[in-house]
Amino acid sequence: MIKKTLNQNAKYAQEFMKTIETDFIFSDKPINRFKVDSAENKETSISKNGLLNDLKTKINSIENCNLKNNSKNLVLGEGNINADVMLIGETPGEIEDKTGLCFQGEVGNLLNKMLLAINIKRENIYTTYSINFRPPEDRKPTAQEIKRYAIFLKEHIAIIDPKILILMGSTAMEAITGLSKISNERGKWKEIILKNKTIPIMISFSPSYLIRFPENKKFSWEDLKKIKQKIKDLNIRI
């Protein structure tokens, strides 16, 4: 008897969902790993990189900020700057603060599994945080801090210019929408208008929250399925 070999996507999807339900069917279609980098895309990348460097300088020039003063590194963002999907988390943690990178360690591993469950490799999208510095003792940012950094976050979104925004966690949700209770808002498509462009938003739980409360992974799976359908509806290639 020959044992059927599962592809990598199915393995990650099953690992993510194994503690929740057992009757999900995942796509075995391979991830499209090849993209044509046209001259236009190269020019766009050069322009965006310049704007992102300017944004980083602006954020670094903030004065009298407890978050900045107690952090080792500014964590701006990473991934494909020309991506149509932008994912915004809450704040960097200890590992991210040390490395200057997004979604590291256990949190990053879980996020990778969540995305692979809907056939997305994290490097093919763009990830960032609603606040670019780690809060002391990983506390929740204050409303004033969220509002202060939301100015930079909206500029960040305008630079990347995505077709879909994924907001993971209440801090990201509050920064963009002003809403405060994520349990009432997650799983519903909303919209924001930024520089005369309407962008659909999906609010979901953050990976760090799901690590603390794994029983809520089933809700995140429902959100992921909606994101996958929206990507299909908008004919986005990742």
Side-chain angles (χ1 to χ4, degrees):
M1 180 176 179
I2 300 175
K3 185 177 180 181
K4 184 178 179 181
T5 302
L6 294 174
N7 68 25
Q8 188 170 342
N9 286 343
K11 287 180 181 178
Y12 275 116
Q14 289 178 348
E15 190 173 345
F16 170 57
M17 295 301 298
K18 66 184 179 181
T19 60
I20 303 168
E21 299 184 33
T22 58
D23 57 348
F24 288 115
I25 299 174
F26 300 93
S27 171
D28 286 331
K29 293 181 180 179
I31 298 172
N32 179 9
R33 304 176 190 273
F34 302 97
K35 292 188 177 221
V36 177
D37 192 7
S38 65
E40 183 179 349
N41 282 339
K42 288 180 181 178
E43 290 178 4
T44 301
S45 296
I46 293 170
S47 175
K48 285 186 177 181
N49 276 318
L51 293 170
L52 289 171
N53 286 333
D54 291 344
L55 177 63
K56 188 172 184 178
T57 299
K58 289 180 186 178
I59 297 171
N60 258 326
S61 67
I62 293 174
E63 298 180 352
N64 303 317
C65 176
N66 189 41
L67 302 180
K68 175 187 172 184
N69 294 340
N70 286 278
S71 296
K72 294 181 176 66
N73 281 299
L74 183 158
V75 185
L76 188 67
E78 60 187 61
N80 178 9
I81 62 175
N82 294 315
D84 289 329
V85 177
M86 183 174 182
L87 186 151
I88 302 171
E90 297 192 284
T91 61
E94 183 178 7
I95 301 176
E96 292 82 7
D97 185 36
K98 288 180 179 178
T99 62
L101 301 174
C102 297
F103 295 101
Q104 299 297 295
E106 187 178 7
V107 170
N109 290 334
L110 178 55
L111 178 61
N112 290 342
K113 292 172 186 176
M114 293 169 70
L115 293 173
L116 283 170
I118 56 172
N119 292 340
I120 295 176
K121 294 189 73 177
R122 202 210 311 178
E123 58 263 37
N124 291 339
I125 66 172
Y126 187 83
T127 58
T128 186
Y129 292 105
S130 51
I131 290 177
N132 306 101
F133 296 105
R134 179 195 179 195
E137 306 300 324
D138 294 320
R139 65 164 172 78
K140 180 176 173 57
T142 66
Q144 183 178 5
E145 289 167 340
I146 293 172
K147 186 176 181 180
R148 185 179 197 183
Y149 279 84
I151 297 170
F152 301 107
L153 178 59
K154 289 174 182 177
E155 183 176 344
H156 204 162
I157 296 168
I159 293 170
I160 300 302
D161 192 27
K163 293 181 180 177
I164 291 177
L165 270 179
I166 303 170
L167 308 181
M168 286 193 161
S170 59
T171 300
M173 177 187 69
E174 185 174 344
I176 296 300
T177 68
L179 300 168
S180 59
K181 194 167 184 180
I182 193 168
S183 58
N184 291 343
E185 308 300 338
R186 56 140 293 275
K188 304 171 186 176
W189 282 108
K190 301 179 184 295
E191 294 180 340
I192 62 164
I193 299 175
L194 191 62
K195 293 195 173 181
N196 297 319
K197 179 180 178 180
T198 301
I199 307 175
I201 296 172
M202 174 57 67
I203 298 167
S204 193
F205 294 126
S206 68
S208 58
Y209 174 83
L210 294 175
I211 289 170
R212 299 194 304 273
F213 302 99
E215 65 274 14
N216 288 312
K217 286 183 179 179
K218 58 181 178 291
F219 299 118
S220 291
W221 173 237
E222 293 302 317
D223 301 343
L224 287 167
K225 289 191 290 184
K226 292 175 184 177
I227 292 167
K228 182 177 182 180
Q229 184 60 49
K230 180 67 77 172
I231 289 171
K232 181 180 179 181
D233 293 344
L234 295 179
N235 197 28
I236 292 174
R237 297 182 64 186
I238 300 179

